[in-house]
């Protein structure tokens, strides 16, 4: 956690000196890694509780992302990373679990920046995370993070990561009341203390009227509700609109849990996702 805090401070200090949207911007070739180590049971249990996962059995599908987040922050806070880390918004994630991972297995982690893409609201970077056990790739993900800034000309809209036809008008399954301090609580568990999640005052600095829920909490909570992770081969989720805290949201899903969504007041869609399972 100390190294993560240092990365957050370094990223905050370097952010004012970075100008997103530079046409000559390039990504650093660095590939930060964490040596193989088993998962600490205390932080894992705290994560499972706040997201609604079971506190026993294999790792939650989203947990390697949390474990690798200090590496992601180290890379994004570095001088060579072209986007200011403060205010970055998680826009989508694709998770591919190659097999179930037990908490006792020594997990080696690595991250790298894959590409920069113009976005109608700024610039988006794709970050890749890999998890290995004894050299075997057991889990991987790709995530998009948006740096919001003014754009010149009409940037093409990003293609949807989730097929709109796959989710359609899903039936409501349950309703969740999210407290105003959810961002701070999840930040304490995950280490993601981006100011947009922590307090209305810090969120307003980046254009949000109130603190917003972490995208990774919303997708984790939906997957925990769907259950039956043993046969999942791929998860795709797209964060459509921020969840302003506090909030009341509705989890919607089809009968199989293979298509899901999170809706807010007046049907506003915050997240859509699909799950591919082994046949």
């Amino acid at each position: 956690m100390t190294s993560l805090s240092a990365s957050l401070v370094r990223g905050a200090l370097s952010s004012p000196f970075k100008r997103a949207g530079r046409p000559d911007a390039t990504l650093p070739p660095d590939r930060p890694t964490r040596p193989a180590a088993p998962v600490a049971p205390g932080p894992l249990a705290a994560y499972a509780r706040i997201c609604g996962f079971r506190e026993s059995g294999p790792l939650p599908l989203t947990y390697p992302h949390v474990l690798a987040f200090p590496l992601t922050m180290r890379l994004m806070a570095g001088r060579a990373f072209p986007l200011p880390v403060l205010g970055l918004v998680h826009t989508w994630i694709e998770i591919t679990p190659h097999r179930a991972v037990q908490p006792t297995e020594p997990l080696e982690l690595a991250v790298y920046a894959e590409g920069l893409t113009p976005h109608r609201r700024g610039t988006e970077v794709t970050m890749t995370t890999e998890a290995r056990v004894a050299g075997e790739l057991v889990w991987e993900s790709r995530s998009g993070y948006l740096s919001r800034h003014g754009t010149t000309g009409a940037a093409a809209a990003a293609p949807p990561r989730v097929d709109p036809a796959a989710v359609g008008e899903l039936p409501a399954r349950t309703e969740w009341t999210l407290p105003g301090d959810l961002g701070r609580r999840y930040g304490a568990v995950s280490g993601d203390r981006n100011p947009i999640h922590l307090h209305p005052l810090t969120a307003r600095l980046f254009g949000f009227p109130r603190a917003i829920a972490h995208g990774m909490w919303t997708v984790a909570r939906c997957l925990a509700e769907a259950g039956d992770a043993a046969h999942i081969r791929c998860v795709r989720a797209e964060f459509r609109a921020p969840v302003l805290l506090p909030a009341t949201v509705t989890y919607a899903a089809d009968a199989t849990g293979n298509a899901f969504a999170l809706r807010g007041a007046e049907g506003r869609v915050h997240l859509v996702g699909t799950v591919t399972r082994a046949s």
Side-chain angles (χ1 to χ4, degrees):
M1 190 63 67
T2 300
S3 62
L4 178 54
S5 299
S7 294
L8 286 166
V9 172
R10 188 164 59 250
L13 293 175
S14 65
S15 287
F17 301 99
K18 296 183 179 182
R19 184 169 62 86
R22 288 173 46 191
D24 60 342
T26 58
L27 290 168
D30 309 53
R31 190 183 176 97
T33 60
R34 190 200 76 168
V39 174
L44 173 59
Y47 177 83
R49 284 193 296 271
I50 198 169
C51 295
F53 289 109
R54 292 176 55 190
E55 294 185 37
S56 60
L59 289 184
L61 286 178
T62 48
Y63 199 56
H65 177 94
V66 172
L67 293 175
F69 189 69
L71 301 176
T72 303
M73 279 300 306
R74 185 195 310 172
L75 184 58
M76 294 196 297
R79 289 186 178 182
F81 194 78
L83 304 179
V85 70
L86 285 184
L88 280 179
V89 178
H90 200 176
T91 49
W92 57 269
I93 187 168
E94 297 176 356
I95 298 173
T96 305
H98 296 288
R99 68 167 175 82
V101 179
Q102 300 301 323
T104 54
E105 292 187 279
L107 205 60
E108 179 186 347
L109 302 167
V111 304
Y112 60 92
E114 186 176 319
L116 289 171
T117 306
H119 188 282
R120 62 188 177 86
R121 293 183 177 176
T123 300
E124 189 175 78
V125 61
T126 299
M127 303 294 293
T128 296
T129 302
E130 297 176 345
R132 287 179 164 80
V133 173
E136 174 195 4
L137 183 65
V138 295
W139 183 100
E140 60 186 317
S141 74
R142 297 171 69 244
S143 287
Y145 293 90
L146 174 65
S147 177
R148 303 195 305 173
H149 59 81
T151 57
T152 57
R161 296 281 167 175
V162 176
D163 181 4
V167 290
E169 292 294 328
L170 297 171
R173 299 297 178 185
T174 189
E175 190 174 85
W176 301 324
T177 300
L178 312 184
D181 66 347
L182 176 62
R184 293 191 291 277
R185 291 170 53 205
Y186 180 82
V189 169
S190 68
D192 184 353
R193 293 184 173 88
N194 190 321
I196 61 177
H197 303 301
L198 302 182
H199 193 276
L201 291 177
T202 54
R204 287 189 197 113
L205 296 175
F206 300 95
F208 298 100
R210 302 198 302 274
I212 67 174
H214 292 73
M216 283 306 299
W217 180 87
T218 62
V219 70
R221 186 66 188 88
C222 289
L223 290 172
E225 188 72 21
D228 188 26
H231 299 99
I232 290 179
R233 292 295 173 263
C234 183
V235 175
R236 292 183 176 87
E238 185 177 329
F239 308 111
R240 295 280 183 86
V243 178
L244 300 174
L245 299 171
T248 297
V249 294
T250 299
Y251 167 74
D254 63 9
T256 64
N258 290 343
F260 59 91
L262 197 67
R263 298 195 292 258
E266 299 179 355
R268 188 183 192 194
V269 178
H270 296 294
L271 172 150
V272 294
T274 56
V275 171
T276 302
R277 302 180 190 269
S279 56

